[in-house]
Amino acid sequence: NAGVTQTPKFQVLKTGQSMTLQCAQDMNHEYMSWYRQDPGMGLRLIHYSVGAGITDQGEVPNGYNVSRSTTEDFPLRLLSAAPSQTSVYFCASTSSTNTEAFFGQGTRLTVV
Amino acid sequence: ILNVEQSPQSLHVQEGDSTNFTCSFPSSNFYALHWYRWETAKSPEALFVMTLNGDEKKKGRISATLNTKEGYSYLYIKGSQPEDSATYLCARTANAGGTSYGKLTFGQGTILTVHP
């Protein structure tokens, strides 16, 4: 059972470039989320989804887009990368019975 | 308390010491309190999820308590070992009509280093 698969693990972008962080889960979880983790701060919620076709903003959504066309996949898109988006990104999934969240391996993104 | 706050920010202990961390959170509209263990270059892994006031959970040498009325949780590690070195994250979910939608609000974490 793969759990939550997140790619890539590392990425360097130039300012203004776009990219998509991929996230897939095979646990049939309804809820999926994206977080960013910055030094000295806790993980902060970027966007979340409660099911296919339903997404909403979290605490720090600016500069990011998401979509959820299937239960399994929840990609995060950076349309025009900025140095302020240098961070470690985590995707997570949770069942609707609201037990623990399962996290992907993380993506370390550097924008230069 | 408006945010989830953890203390201390970092902790250095000797192998065999017992230690504890604190998580404070808004008590209103509470749904669940989560503890995660996060090792460098790995994914955060759940230790406990607690929902009821007075909950106490234990996994090996690690245990946790929950007070939802005053908004705090303690994580205890008995007889710390070097492999316990990690960042310990506390997160709260709010009640959104009987669910949380998986939306976690994290504290900044406590970095534990256990010296041999």
Side-chain angles (χ1 to χ4, degrees), chain B residues 7-51:
Chain B
S7 63
Q9 287 192 339
S10 65
L11 196 56
H12 291 257
V13 301
Q14 292 297 125
E15 183 175 356
D17 288 349
S18 293
T19 186
N20 65 84
F21 320 134
T22 302
C23 174
S24 302
F25 55 88
S27 55
S28 62
N29 208 28
F30 174 83
Y31 191 83
L33 192 285
H34 300 228
W35 283 100
Y36 291 87
R37 182 173 181 272
W38 182 23
E39 290 182 75
T40 303
K42 293 187 178 180
S43 313
E45 291 186 347
L47 290 171
F48 307 111
V49 179
M50 296 179 287
T51 57

Side-chain angles (χ1 to χ4, degrees), chain A residues 31 35 42 48 50 98 101 104-105, chain B residues 36 43 99-101 103-104 107:
Chain A
Y31 306 150
Y35 297 86
Y48 69 101
V50 301
N98 290 297
Q105 304 94 317
Chain B
Y36 291 87
S43 313
T99 183
S100 71
Y101 296 125
K103 295 168 59 182
L104 296 161

Side-chain angles (χ1 to χ4, degrees), chain A residues 31-33 35 37 40-45 48-50 57-59 88 90 92 94 96-106, chain B residues 9 31-32 34 36 38 40-49 51 59 89 93 98-109:
Chain A
Y31 306 150
M32 296 185 75
S33 308
Y35 297 86
Q37 199 278 325
M41 305 184 75
L43 279 73
R44 291 181 294 168
L45 182 64
Y48 69 101
S49 169
V50 301
Q57 296 180 350
E59 179 185 355
V88 180
F90 286 98
T94 311
S96 60
T97 55
N98 290 297
T99 54
E100 65 199 73
F102 292 82
F103 288 85
Q105 304 94 317
Chain B
Q9 287 192 339
Y31 191 83
H34 300 228
Y36 291 87
W38 182 23
T40 303
K42 293 187 178 180
S43 313
E45 291 186 347
L47 290 171
F48 307 111
V49 179
T51 57
K59 186 181 293 187
L89 301 170
T93 54
T99 183
S100 71
Y101 296 125
K103 295 168 59 182
L104 296 161
T105 300
F106 283 88
Q108 73 273 41

Side-chain angles (χ1 to χ4, degrees), chain A residues 56-73:
Chain A
D56 205 347
Q57 296 180 350
E59 179 185 355
V60 287
N62 292 341
Y64 308 95
N65 280 351
V66 293
S67 60
R68 184 114 179 256
S69 56
T70 66
T71 299
E72 294 77 21
D73 298 300

Side-chain angles (χ1 to χ4, degrees), chain B residues 84-98:
Chain B
D84 294 330
S85 297
T87 298
Y88 290 83
L89 301 170
C90 164
R92 170 192 181 270
T93 54
N95 192 332

